[in-house]
Amino acid sequence: MQFASNHFDVIILGAGASGLMCALTAAQRGRRVLVLEKANKVGKKILMSGGGRCNFTNHFVEADNFISTNPHFCKAALTRYTQWDFISMVERYGIPYEERKHSQLFCLDSAKDILNMLLDECAQAGAEIRTHCSIDKISPLPERAHSDKHQPDDRRSRYQVALHQGQTPLKLECHSLVVATGALSIPSLGGSGLGYDIANQFGIALTERQAGLVPFMFSDAMKPLCERLSGLALEVEVSCNQRSFTENLLFTHRGISGPAILQISNYWHPGNEIVIDLLPSINAAEWLLSAKQQQGKSLLRTVLAQKLSKSLVTELQTLWWADSADQALAGYSDKQLLAIAEKLHAWRLKPSATEGYRTAEVTRGGVDTAAISSKTMEVKSQAGLYFIGEVLDVTGHLGGFNFQWAWSSGYSAGLVC
């Protein structure tokens, strides 16, 4: 059957991780697929992720690794296309990879290996990809458009996409429209709110959105402290709103970052405190009381420098025991040492803000999953319209989980769109 050059079975908005996975899956089913990308090249976020090595999935993926208003929503897709399915494709292409801390999988060479694999799969299946495409308008077409009245129901046009490819205006039609536009994070790599605009157009609710996996900033005395310690990293346990993570913390010129902080930022809301345990692997109270007995002539800062960096200890001394800085450990009461031990295990800080979408790895919140089929990613009230990837209210922890959500949701939609 012949189709007009402007008609496609599936048009996918966005050539990121979820869009490319959906494209290759749908094209392998014989669908005529077109992917529209607004940037000058595809997969920019794939290329920059993991320091250019792409943390493409994790050996252990569970629903608890994801945040959503509906914590059960992600389960169907994650079961339909698992981390092992993606690992199998990576191995089929002979891409060398390694397992790092917390079962995270990274390319040994370059993130380009993952992008090239997806593009190769798309090319083999016949999916077309166009860049420099800015979307102007999405229009649902009447139930039976006169131009396709002789086409089978699974191919008739249901949506018209008006766009500009460079300076050229185009109007394209499709049976299925898949929104894989990503979200607001890292606008320099193409992040935008287009997917939310489309959701609004079709009356689909949005949950509250916020920068996720993002560093914290301070406006109080912590700001100069962080500047002085900039570049220092140490393993801590950080807690907020009944969640905690044990990972590295990194002091920066703006505040604090590092894996522990990025993880907990997904659970932080403006005004919340975070609690940092600087010595998560030891009992500070027992250690300090023992040191008082055995190293009574030593200074407290000298003892603490056995476990923490001297520069950090100097800052903590100014905060917590400046008046007795030059007093020998034996001169401290047990009560004083217990109070300092408690602060070492529970340093309470109140960030003024995060660094925002400029550096956020993900956007927390998004298209309300109550409107979406968890099996197909199709909008329940709008046949042929799909949302996949980061645009949805599903946010993964750091460690390859957001990519796995992209693969799983893209595949689920690609099976049926």
Side-chain angles (χ1 to χ4, degrees):
M1 181 174 291
Q2 293 298 308
F3 293 96
S5 60
N6 72 334
H7 173 90
F8 295 84
D9 296 325
V10 184
I11 290 180
I12 299 169
L13 307 182
S18 64
L20 293 174
M21 176 57 81
C22 183
L24 68 90
T25 306
Q28 285 168 357
R29 294 172 43 235
R31 306 293 274 168
R32 187 177 182 215
V33 177
L34 173 65
V35 185
L36 302 175
E37 169 57 51
K38 74 170 187 176
N40 59 339
K41 53 186 176 183
V42 305
K44 284 187 172 184
K45 212 166 176 184
I46 296 174
L47 293 176
M48 64 77 68
S49 68
R53 295 283 174 85
C54 189
N55 178 194
F56 56 84
T57 192
N58 194 292
H59 266 149
F60 297 96
V61 178
E62 298 174 345
D64 191 49
N65 300 126
F66 299 86
I67 305 162
S68 175
T69 306
N70 176 2
H72 302 290
F73 178 82
C74 64
K75 292 178 179 177
L78 293 172
T79 303
R80 186 165 285 109
Y81 191 87
T82 70
Q83 67 272 35
W84 307 111
D85 293 315
F86 194 80
I87 292 167
S88 174
M89 179 158 59
V90 168
E91 291 178 344
R92 179 158 53 86
Y93 271 76
I95 296 172
Y97 66 91
E98 63 179 345
E99 180 177 348
R100 296 190 193 169
K101 200 171 169 186
H102 303 303
S103 306
Q104 302 171 35
L105 301 185
F106 286 79
C107 293
L108 266 176
D109 297 332
S110 168
K112 287 179 184 174
D113 291 341
I114 297 295
L115 180 57
N116 289 337
M117 173 185 75
L118 296 169
L119 293 176
D120 189 56
E121 289 282 303
C122 283
Q124 285 184 48
E128 182 184 348
I129 301 171
R130 300 183 194 176
T131 55
H132 300 91
C133 292
S134 57
I135 307 303
D136 300 322
K137 187 179 180 183
I138 306 294
S139 305
L141 293 170
E143 185 65 25
R144 275 286 181 185
H146 65 84
S147 62
D148 62 355
K149 62 187 176 185
H150 299 302
Q151 290 180 10
D153 279 352
D154 69 341
R155 295 207 155 179
R156 65 179 176 79
S157 296
R158 293 191 287 197
Y159 296 94
Q160 183 185 77
V161 181
L163 69 143
H164 275 76
Q165 185 173 5
Q167 300 300 312
T168 307
L170 296 170
K171 285 189 177 179
L172 307 175
E173 294 183 0
C174 61
H175 177 74
S176 296
L177 180 66
V178 183
V179 181
T181 50
L184 301 170
S185 51
I186 320 187
S188 61
L189 294 180
S192 79
L194 174 62
Y196 306 140
D197 296 338
I198 296 171
N200 280 326
Q201 177 186 339
F202 289 95
I204 301 163
L206 300 171
T207 64
E208 182 185 352
R209 278 138 291 150
Q210 188 172 316
L213 296 180
V214 63
F216 287 128
M217 299 190 297
F218 296 91
S219 56
D220 56 12
M222 269 299 292
K223 186 174 189 293
L225 184 152
C226 292
E227 288 173 353
R228 292 192 293 272
L229 294 177
S230 182
L232 174 67
L234 71 158
E235 184 169 273
V236 302
E237 180 182 72
V238 60
S239 306
C240 183
N241 289 322
Q242 286 78 57
R243 291 298 298 231
S244 60
F245 295 91
T246 302
E247 266 278 16
N248 271 5
L249 175 151
L250 172 70
F251 289 95
T252 73
H253 285 293
R254 297 188 188 90
I256 50 177
S257 186
I261 298 307
L262 300 187
Q263 294 280 38
I264 209 66
S265 72
N266 276 347
Y267 295 91
W268 178 86
H269 298 279
N272 287 165
E273 272 189 337
I274 61 171
V275 181
I276 297 172
D277 183 347
L278 293 167
L279 295 168
S281 60
I282 68 165
N283 183 317
E286 288 181 6
W287 175 50
L288 291 180
L289 292 176
S290 173
K292 178 182 173 180
Q293 300 301 319
Q294 297 171 20
Q295 306 170 59
K297 294 181 180 179
S298 298
L299 297 174
L300 178 55
R301 63 175 175 267
T302 306
V303 172
L304 286 175
Q306 297 168 18
K307 305 281 187 187
L308 299 168
S309 76
K310 286 185 178 179
S311 55
L312 176 57
V313 171
T314 300
E315 297 292 346
L316 297 178
Q317 175 178 271
T318 302
L319 288 174
W320 297 338
W321 68 94
D323 293 345
S324 50
D326 295 319
Q327 179 177 294
L329 203 55
Y332 284 80
S333 69
D334 286 0
K335 185 178 178 183
Q336 282 178 300
L337 291 178
L338 290 173
I340 291 168
E342 188 176 331
K343 288 181 176 179
L344 289 167
H345 283 312
W347 188 11
R348 296 181 177 277
L349 302 174
K350 186 176 280 191
S352 58
T354 68
E355 288 190 11
Y357 293 115
R358 184 182 62 82
T359 58
E361 292 194 20
V362 294
T363 301
R364 201 178 74 203
V367 173
D368 193 337
T369 59
I372 310 295
S373 162
S374 63
K375 291 184 173 61
T376 65
M377 304 294 129
E378 187 174 24
V379 177
K380 294 172 183 175
S381 62
Q382 188 70 41
L385 180 62
Y386 300 77
F387 287 85
I388 58 175
E390 192 187 344
V391 71
L392 286 164
D393 173 29
V394 177
T395 305
H397 290 168
L398 193 72
F401 300 105
N402 286 294
F403 273 127
Q404 186 57 47
W405 173 244
W407 316 137
S408 297
S409 60
Y411 179 83
S412 295
L415 282 182
V416 294
C417 65

